[in-house]
Amino acid sequence: MLLRHVARPTTNAMCRGLGCSVQSRAFGIKTTLRVQEHISKLIKKDKSKSDKAAEMQVTGPGPYHDTILESMPSELRVPRNPPPMREDTMDHTWNTTDLEALDVGPTKHRVPDLISDKIALWAVKSARKPTDIFFRNKYIHRSVMLEVVAAVPGMVGGLIRHIKSLQGMRHDDGWIGHLLHEAENERMHLMTWMEVSKPVMWERALIATVQTGFFAVFSLLYMVSPRTAHRVVGYLEEEAVTSYTHFIGEIDAGRIENVKAPEIAVAYWNLDPESTLRDVVLAVRADEALHRDTNHHFSDRIRAKRESLFEDMDTNSNKPHIKY
């Protein structure tokens, strides 16, 4: 269309026949060359950017990268991994002896006294039966499925309480931070087991399906009865502690190879560099025991109508109690 428009004669004085055709053809060639030259410049520019990016990866960050780091807000200057559940974890390198000395109460059980608590216990026990049939003694794959489910309640509870705090324009009494920390801790459990198990595609599809269904059911339960929801999580964590105890037994019996601990676990729990899979299971079990006790406690606080975590804090602390 461009060549036709240029080649169309407008007056008798303009070129005719072959002369006009040559002129229009020359204009078209010049235009094409200009376009090609422009595209060539763009390609060279993009290639230059790629070369600079590759050079940064090899030789290290340049001045622009350093500027980005210097301008980073202090709240973003955190480790790659989230903080572990126990405050003393990063101040001490944990070995097998230390992990075995932790009092996790492997047989600890909260006896239900309310009808809702009995229903919660029944639901958890019923959900365990098909899991036992499907996974049997495949404890690594069982752990993946367990952590996919266990990572949901903390995030759901934190989100719902966050929205209620905004809508009511009042403090949350300190729950949100604890619940989100629990969710992040469970997520790190999952990331650890993913490094060990390397699930295939159909296993990932099953995991996604189970997680989606549990997310919907638990969200509805938490909106209807937070006390029962936390009781469910408490009983779920009791089963988790039991499963990990059996996991340790399988390793000790030699039926599961006690391989070297993945790097993500060593960094997260500050484990001894020579730690093994058994040490990782011990660390995860200790976290699950803490979640078990915490969620049963949360359920009891709601029942007692004493949800504020600040009411029972030590008033002799040197730090002021800031509500959030």
Side-chain angles (χ1 to χ4, degrees):
M1 293 298 293
L2 179 60
L3 293 180
R4 288 181 181 178
H5 178 73
V6 173
R8 185 181 297 124
T10 55
T11 62
N12 294 332
M14 294 183 64
C15 62
R16 291 185 177 89
L18 181 61
C20 184
S21 176
V22 171
Q23 184 179 2
S24 62
R25 205 174 281 178
F27 180 84
I29 293 173
K30 288 181 180 180
T31 303
T32 303
L33 291 175
R34 287 177 184 174
V35 171
Q36 291 178 347
E37 183 180 359
H38 181 67
I39 294 175
S40 178
K41 288 181 179 179
L42 291 177
I43 293 175
K44 289 181 179 179
K45 188 176 180 181
D46 291 340
K47 185 178 180 182
S48 177
K49 288 182 179 180
S50 301
D51 293 341
K52 287 182 179 179
E55 184 179 354
M56 284 184 62
Q57 292 180 355
V58 175
T59 62
Y64 176 73
H65 189 70
D66 293 338
T67 303
I68 291 295
L69 292 178
E70 291 173 0
S71 63
M72 182 183 293
S74 58
E75 65 180 1
L76 297 181
R77 297 178 179 272
V78 296
R80 178 175 62 88
N81 294 330
M85 291 300 296
R86 295 178 298 279
E87 295 181 357
D88 55 348
T89 298
M90 302 312 294
D91 297 331
H92 174 70
T93 301
W94 293 79
N95 55 35
T96 304
T97 304
D98 298 328
L99 293 168
E100 288 180 340
L102 292 173
D103 184 16
V104 299
T107 59
K108 194 173 182 180
H109 171 62
R110 167 61 187 261
V111 179
D113 54 353
L114 299 177
I115 295 178
S116 59
D117 294 346
K118 293 179 181 179
I119 294 175
L121 179 59
W122 172 83
V124 172
K125 291 290 186 181
S126 299
R128 184 186 175 106
K129 291 180 180 179
T131 304
D132 291 339
I133 296 173
F134 186 80
F135 290 105
R136 297 184 181 181
N137 292 330
K138 297 180 180 179
Y139 282 95
I140 296 178
H141 293 81
R142 179 197 291 263
S143 298
V144 173
M145 182 64 72
L146 174 64
E147 299 302 342
V148 163
V149 172
V152 171
M155 185 59 66
V156 169
L159 173 62
I160 292 177
R161 295 188 71 91
H162 174 72
I163 297 299
K164 286 185 176 180
S165 177
L166 296 178
Q167 292 178 340
M169 290 177 281
R170 56 180 176 79
H171 294 293
D172 177 64
D173 298 324
W175 287 49
I176 295 176
H178 289 283
L179 293 173
L180 295 182
H181 192 186
E182 176 184 317
E184 190 75 341
N185 177 250
E186 297 286 10
R187 187 183 67 85
M188 290 303 294
H189 291 178
L190 176 62
M191 297 298 104
T192 299
W193 297 129
M194 292 288 282
E195 288 292 323
V196 177
S197 65
K198 306 293 184 182
V200 296
M201 186 61 67
W202 73 267
E203 291 174 326
R204 290 174 179 268
L206 177 62
I207 288 170
T209 302
V210 172
Q211 187 183 60
T212 301
F214 182 75
F215 176 83
V217 173
F218 189 82
S219 298
L220 179 61
L221 175 61
Y222 203 98
M223 288 186 285
V224 174
S225 177
R227 182 182 61 79
T228 305
H230 283 290
R231 189 68 74 200
V232 167
V233 179
Y235 287 132
L236 180 65
E237 299 296 357
E238 288 183 9
E239 297 299 325
V241 172
T242 300
S243 293
Y244 284 120
T245 301
H246 292 164
F247 195 164
I248 295 171
E250 291 293 305
I251 295 176
D252 293 340
R255 287 186 285 270
I256 297 178
E257 184 181 359
N258 192 22
V259 298
K260 183 177 176 59
E263 293 182 3
I264 186 175
V266 174
Y268 181 64
W269 284 284
N270 198 25
L271 301 177
D272 186 278
E274 301 301 322
S275 295
T276 61
L277 176 64
R278 187 177 187 275
D279 299 320
V280 176
V281 179
L282 288 170
V284 173
R285 186 180 66 166
D287 288 345
E288 303 295 7
L290 182 57
H291 299 324
R292 172 199 64 199
D293 299 339
T294 300
N295 280 277
H296 280 316
H297 178 73
F298 279 162
S299 182
D300 293 339
R301 293 193 78 97
I302 296 175
R303 180 181 178 183
K305 300 186 183 302
R306 293 181 59 181
E307 294 190 41
S308 176
L309 300 179
F310 302 103
E311 291 180 359
D312 299 326
M313 284 187 176
D314 183 10
T315 55
N316 296 324
S317 175
N318 294 326
K319 295 182 179 180
H321 292 161
I322 302 175
K323 291 187 176 182
Y324 53 88

